[in-house]
Amino acid sequence: MDDDRIWSFEESLWTADAAHYEESVDDECLMVLPAPPFVFTGKQAIDAVKDTPRWDKVSLTDRQVARPQEGLIVVAYKAEAHKGGDAYLAYCTSTYRWIEHGVWTVVQHQQTPPLTSKGE
């Protein structure tokens, strides 16, 4: 998967409907999200993502792509998502595995909102 397709796919995970998650998120996926229970596995991860807001617009910056071996892609980035008057900022990673020609699924995803000190 070339870089343009990677970033298009990643953006779609922020804006697409629940059916897109069913086909894009692997049954073996592990996720860490900033909401209880924080660590999600398998079907629980798919359900958690399906229940998150569909953002109208997302900007992915500070993009990094690694291909540690054939059939495995790891991305890291800063996401700024918007819907109406709501905004969300997080630093994220996702890992994709190759299933068959043209088909990749998400096997890992994490979101870390910016950390603040106790004084803020």
Side-chain angles (χ1 to χ4, degrees), residues 13 37 44 49 55 64 80 88 99:
L13 295 170
Q44 181 187 33
V49 172
W55 299 101
Q64 299 289 319
E80 295 182 66
Y88 177 71
I99 303 300

Side-chain angles (χ1 to χ4, degrees), residues 9-26 29-55 77 88 93-94 106-111:
F9 183 77
E10 192 69 24
E11 286 177 13
S12 77
L13 295 170
W14 289 83
T15 59
D17 62 19
H20 181 64
Y21 289 108
E22 287 285 344
E23 62 189 40
S24 301
V25 177
D26 200 275
C29 186
L30 297 176
M31 288 191 188
V32 174
L33 302 172
F38 304 106
V39 177
F40 300 85
T41 61
K43 181 75 170 131
Q44 181 187 33
I46 294 169
D47 291 342
V49 172
K50 286 185 348 186
D51 292 336
T52 60
R54 302 300 97 208
W55 299 101
Y77 58 93
Y88 177 71
T93 62
S94 293
V106 177
V107 294
Q108 176 278 326
H109 178 73
Q110 71 79 36
Q111 297 177 14

